[in-house]
Every structure is written in C-alpha cells, then in structure tokens.
Amino acid sequence: MNLLKLRRSLEEFFTEDIGDQDLTSDVLFDRDTKGEIRFLAKQEGILCGTDVIATGYGILDPEVEIEVWQQDGHPLQAGDEIARAYGNMASLLKGERVILNLLQRMSGIATLTRQAVQNLASDHTRICDTRKTTPGLRMLEKYAVRTGGGYNHRNGLYDAVMLKDNHIAFAGSLDEAVRKLRDRLGHMVKIEVETENEEQVAAAVKAEVDCIMFDNRSPEEIKGLVQLVPGSIKTEASGGIAVDQLASFRDCGVNYISLGCLTHSAPALDISAKVPILERSLS
C-alpha cells in the first residue's frame, strides 16, 4: 500500500471529521492528560488496516506511541487485542472514529474475500475484485482484497482496457475497436472484452485480445464458452456472482472470477476501541 497516498487520504478524512477543532476533547483535556486506546476484535475475521492506526496517529500527534500486536492478514478471534496507542488523550480520541471506521471496513472486506477464496477452493481460478469500490477508498479496499487472499482487477479506467457493448457499437465492430486500440496504445496495456454469447467470444478470439470476460453466464454456459478460447487468452467470469454460489463455479475453467460484492457489500468487522485513562490531570 502506498503510504504517501494513505497519509494524504487520512489528512482529508481527519479534516472532514475534526473541522476547526474537536470541541469535546480539545476543550476537556490539556496536553498533560495522557491515556491509551486499545483496539479489540469483537468477532471472528481477518485483520486489515494496521497501517491506518500508525499513520493516522502519526499525523495527529507524532508523540503518540503505537504498538501493533497483530499483522494484516491475521485471523482474529473475538477478544483479540490488535493494537495500542498511548499519548495525549485529546489526540487519541479525535482520531479514534476515522481510524476505527477504516479498520472495520478494510477488515470486513478482507474477511469476505477470505470466505470467497475458501468457498471457491480452486487451484486454477482466482478471486478478484472490480471497480465497484467506495469513492476515495479504492486503494484501501483493493489492498484489503489482497490481504484476504484475492487479486486485484484493473485499478481504474487508466491502467487497462475493458471493451463493453457500447464501446464496440460506437467503434463499428469488435475487430475495429481492437485495431484502433492496438494502433494507439503502448505494448504494455492489456485489452479485455466483455462477451455474452458464442459469436462475441469467437470475435474476441479472432481479434487476439488479452482477456475475455463471460458476463452473466451460468457455470454450464461458461464451461462451453471456455472451450472456444485458446490458452494464450485469459478468461474471466463476472456478473452478479454471490459468495455462496462460488462452489458451483469451481470447475467451469476460467482463470478469474470477479466479484463486486467484495467491496460494495462487505459488512464491517466488529472492532472496538477501549480507552482506559492511565493518568489524570483534569482540575
């Protein structure tokens, strides 16, 4: 994960939440009021987001001391202690909600991804994500997918080509669309095409694209379509596939199954922040 981007994002998130000041903590506590905050798992899952704790508190107060006891990807049980932060009480409390929100969100995605990988239980097919991420959180959510054992699809519109029916319709044909792209793009850019039937798959094979997606096809349909694709072209299944349906796709033969639900529907993992005050100097 790019820690420079993480820092910039956290600065924006803290600015949104804190505004001019934390009216509660900044007024209630002075610089001599020290304490600690401990992050605890309240349910079973996969931990993700410990860099958010260290980077977040480092932005708010460089004097805050951080101890991280569990690493990203570690399976959590209810009651497990994740990390401890010690320092000025106002600093700890004003960062608590933003840090906790991200930690819960990322751990929830990592947990659902691990579940998907286990449900598929395939040595041939990989689970990957989509662009259906929360605006502003894509880097963090895609990192969480990797932490859970999944793989990333393209990061955005800028790093790979995805030809869909509207692109092809306006270009005139799949062959013409691919020809224009090959003429104008560098040799490092991959081209994927979305297909729904045998005719479209055959056209994509003829155009020698890099990856063919079978969109909204059943496992039985995909098994037949995969036979039309040479081994030099990667294959992907996508379109409304739920985590509890993955076992039925285990033997369909594709290289990847992309799941939007990993990022748009993952429930947050229940993690709490416990704050025992160690020293008091309130008058």
Side-chain angles (χ1 to χ4, degrees), residues 194-203 214-215 217 225 228:
E194 186 178 272
T195 65
E196 294 183 345
N197 55 49
E198 288 190 16
E199 181 181 1
Q200 292 172 351
V201 171
F214 308 121
D215 188 39
R217 300 298 94 189
L225 294 172
L228 305 175

Side-chain angles (χ1 to χ4, degrees), residues 16-33:
E16 176 189 55
D17 196 36
I18 297 169
D20 293 332
Q21 69 174 128
D22 177 351
L23 281 175
T24 307
S25 300
D26 285 336
V27 175
L28 189 60
F29 302 115
D30 58 33
R31 294 300 302 178
D32 294 327
T33 307

Side-chain angles (χ1 to χ4, degrees), residues 100-167:
L100 195 57
N101 284 351
L102 293 174
L103 191 64
Q104 290 176 316
R105 175 73 180 149
M106 294 170 71
S107 296
I109 291 171
T111 300
L112 186 60
T113 302
R114 181 67 57 85
Q115 199 173 12
V117 171
Q118 292 174 342
N119 286 0
L120 181 63
S122 172
D123 294 328
H124 173 74
T125 304
R126 291 178 170 180
I127 294 294
C128 65
D129 53 27
T130 70
R131 285 171 49 241
K132 296 176 181 177
T133 55
T134 308
L137 296 183
R138 181 167 295 177
M139 180 185 73
L140 303 184
E141 293 182 347
K142 282 182 169 284
Y143 170 76
V145 168
R146 297 195 304 273
T147 299
Y151 292 80
N152 295 146
H153 205 282
R154 60 177 176 165
N155 287 313
L157 297 174
Y158 55 85
D159 60 335
V161 170
M162 170 70 78
L163 279 172
K164 300 190 178 185
D165 52 358
N166 285 337
H167 297 115

